[in-house]
């Protein structure tokens, strides 16, 4: 059954993880405020995701959703997350018993993965279900008749989101339907709205419901230790953000702006860097302090020389971050290559005519699905 899809913030060809422009994502925060009626404290802006994410754990007790939420926004799947995705969770090391809290970036990554990688994929013209289980060598299986509800909640090919209300016969463009949504948000019962369950579109037979959580924590060897998927994403994001900001700073420096105006713009970019760069101390020591000093110098600049000095200082910091964190991009690409090989290897096994086993076609390694895999997603 075909369901309605809608565009909102992310464009065609853009993935939810590692956005093409983090500054564009920052601008989408304003779009989400207008679309949803939510406040900054109810929306998470992570440098790892291309869309701001509503934070369900900020809904006041006794309410179905946030008091200021616009009913017309209720078609969006991020407003219907199942219980297991509604908040960061406590993680536990099975060997040591040590516990720690999932970070906002880890939670955002988990949500983005489920939004994009739960639907079927098309490989050589056939549809397959990703199982995301490298620990047991289960990467993919053929799409079956019981998988009819598996659709991507966000489709990176078209840049569209599933209209959740259309799956239960409601349309927010219909005034009567919109009034039903408004009454439900106020506490009334509604058979259709009460029955909405995103797991119908996310869960698949033979797939571990916790696969996205496993992905965020899955390590990949690095020299003397291991780094998780999210740690690699953070480094990759820091490199992309630093490069983008450096391009903006370079453009400003060549624009021949008055000193105060140049200083204000440089200060704004330095503040953006403080918010968006997620590099750890192993990448740049005291990055936050250094960016704060640059911001202060830029804001106080009254001469072209002082503003230009702030430009130079900011560019040095951004260049250091971009170089030091660039390994994250290589590691994300390696994860994609490993998982793509695993998936295609298992497809070859499952579609090979009966005969002697071909060792060369067996999948190897342990992979991490992510953006840019060589198979297409079925919208």
């Amino acid at each position: 059954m075909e369901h309605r899809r809608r565009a909102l913030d992310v464009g065609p060809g853009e993935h939810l993880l590692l956005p093409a422009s983090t500054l564009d994502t920052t601008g989408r925060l304003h779009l989400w405020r207008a679309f949803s009626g939510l406040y900054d404290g109810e929306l998470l802006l992570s440098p790892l995701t291309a869309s701001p994410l509503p934070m369900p754990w900020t809904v006041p007790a006794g309410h179905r959703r946030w008091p200021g939420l616009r009913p017309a926004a209720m078609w969006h799947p991020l407003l219907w997350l199942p219980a297991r995705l509604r908040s960061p969770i406590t993680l536990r090391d099975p060997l040591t018993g040590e516990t720690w809290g999932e970070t906002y970036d880890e939670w955002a990554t988990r949500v983005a993965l489920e939004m994009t990688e739960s639907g079927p994929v098309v490989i050589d013209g056939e549809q397959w279900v990703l199982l995301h289980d490298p620990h047991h060598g289960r990467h993919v299986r053929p799409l079956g008749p019981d998988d009819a509800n598996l659709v991507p909640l966000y489709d990176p090919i078209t840049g569209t989101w599933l209209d959740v209300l259309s799956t239960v016969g409601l349309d927010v463009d219909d005034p009567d339907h919109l009034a039903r949504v408004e009454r439900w948000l106020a506490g009334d019962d509604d058979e259709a709205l009460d029955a909405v369950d995103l797991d119908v579109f996310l869960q698949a037979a033979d797939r571990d419901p916790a696969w996205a959580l496993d992905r965020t924590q899955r390590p990949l060897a690095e020299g003397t230790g291991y780094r998780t998927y999210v740690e690699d994403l953070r480094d990759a994001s820091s490199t992309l953000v630093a490069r983008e900001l450096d391009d903006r700073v370079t453009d400003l420096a060549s624009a021949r702006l008055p000193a105060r105006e140049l200083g204000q713009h440089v200060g704004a970019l330095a503040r953006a860097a403080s918010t968006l760069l997620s590099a750890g101390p192993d990448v740049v020591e005291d990055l936050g302090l250094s960016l704060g000093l640059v911001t202060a110098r830029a804001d106080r600049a009254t001469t072209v020389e002082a503003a230009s000095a702030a430009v130079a200082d900011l560019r040095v910091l951004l260049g250091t971050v971009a170089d030091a964190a660039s390994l994250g991009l290589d590691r994300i690409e390696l994860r994609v290559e490993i998982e793509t090989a695993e998936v295609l290897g298992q497809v070859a096994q499952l579609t090979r005519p009966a005969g002697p086993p071909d060792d060369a076609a067996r999948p190897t390694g342990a992979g991490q699905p992510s953006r840019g895999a060589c198979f297409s997603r079925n919208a």
Side-chain angles (χ1 to χ4, degrees):
M1 176 182 177
E2 288 289 331
H3 299 303
R4 180 172 184 171
R5 306 191 68 87
R6 294 178 185 258
L8 179 63
D9 45 4
V10 191
E14 187 173 357
H15 290 257
L16 287 187
L17 288 177
L18 292 185
S21 169
T22 307
L23 292 180
D24 286 350
T25 303
T26 304
R28 289 169 185 160
L29 185 61
H30 303 287
L31 183 154
W32 256 91
R33 288 194 202 111
F35 164 71
S36 66
L38 301 182
Y39 300 107
D40 286 354
E42 298 165 336
L43 292 165
L44 174 67
L45 183 66
S46 169
L48 305 189
T49 59
S51 174
L53 303 179
M55 299 186 289
W57 62 90
T58 63
V59 173
H63 291 260
R64 281 190 164 126
R65 298 294 187 275
W66 302 264
L69 179 66
R70 296 179 62 247
M74 284 296 290
W75 64 265
H76 202 290
L78 289 176
L79 299 171
W80 292 94
L81 295 179
R84 59 193 175 78
L85 293 178
R86 284 182 195 154
S87 66
I89 63 174
T90 299
L91 303 172
R92 181 179 179 276
D93 188 314
L95 298 179
T96 66
E98 178 188 2
T99 61
W100 66 95
E102 189 179 29
T103 67
Y104 285 169
D105 281 345
E106 288 169 336
W107 173 78
T109 299
R110 186 157 57 97
V111 171
L113 288 171
E114 294 239 24
M115 294 297 103
T116 54
E117 297 199 14
S118 294
V121 296
V122 177
I123 304 173
D124 293 335
E126 300 293 330
Q127 291 188 307
W128 300 82
V129 175
L130 294 176
L131 299 180
H132 305 293
D133 189 6
H135 302 296
H136 301 96
R138 300 185 309 135
H139 309 292
V140 67
R141 65 165 172 79
L143 186 77
D146 294 333
D147 300 317
N149 284 327
L150 289 182
V151 296
L153 299 189
Y154 170 75
D155 176 25
I157 296 175
T158 61
T160 59
W161 299 85
L162 176 68
D163 181 335
V164 175
L165 295 184
S166 74
T167 68
V168 292
L170 298 179
D171 183 350
V172 293
D173 296 326
D174 183 314
D176 291 335
H177 293 180
L178 186 60
R180 282 178 61 181
V181 174
E182 188 169 8
R183 290 192 298 269
W184 183 81
L185 288 172
D188 286 2
D189 293 331
D190 187 290
E191 185 176 355
L193 293 166
D194 290 338
V196 171
D197 179 7
L198 280 200
D199 270 336
V200 170
F201 309 103
L202 296 175
Q203 304 250 358
D206 302 322
R207 181 193 287 164
D208 183 353
W211 70 267
L213 175 62
D214 174 74
R215 171 89 69 81
T216 64
Q217 303 300 317
R218 198 175 305 159
L220 183 69
E222 178 206 24
T224 59
Y226 294 86
R227 292 184 69 80
T228 67
Y229 182 57
V230 170
E231 287 172 328
D232 285 341
L233 283 176
R234 286 185 185 128
D235 281 353
S237 170
S238 290
T239 291
L240 296 175
V241 169
R243 290 174 180 174
E244 181 180 7
L245 291 175
D246 186 64
D247 288 343
R248 299 291 181 99
V249 175
T250 302
D251 291 342
L252 282 175
S254 62
R256 299 185 180 277
L257 298 172
R260 286 190 179 278
E261 186 177 353
L262 175 59
Q264 289 171 355
H265 284 299
V266 173
L269 290 175
R271 278 187 287 272
S274 297
T275 301
L276 298 172
L277 290 176
S278 55
D282 55 326
V283 174
V284 178
E285 188 174 358
D286 293 329
L287 177 62
L289 174 61
S290 299
L291 287 171
L293 293 174
V294 171
T295 303
R297 291 192 204 109
D299 288 343
R300 292 196 304 265
T302 57
T303 66
V304 172
E305 291 76 13
S308 298
V311 167
D313 290 343
L314 181 55
R315 291 203 64 197
V316 167
L317 284 174
L318 294 174
T320 302
V321 172
D323 291 342
S326 62
L327 183 61
L329 287 173
D330 296 334
R331 290 168 60 81
I332 291 297
E333 184 61 31
L334 175 60
R335 290 175 185 267
V336 171
E337 291 175 0
I338 291 172
E339 195 222 45
T340 300
E342 290 173 335
V343 168
L344 296 183
Q346 194 150 78
V347 167
Q349 285 184 324
L350 294 172
T351 57
R352 185 188 304 122
D358 179 3
D359 289 342
R362 291 177 182 168
T364 60
Q368 314 273 127
S370 185
R371 53 189 297 207
C374 67
F375 37 80
S376 65
R377 304 202 174 277
N378 179 39

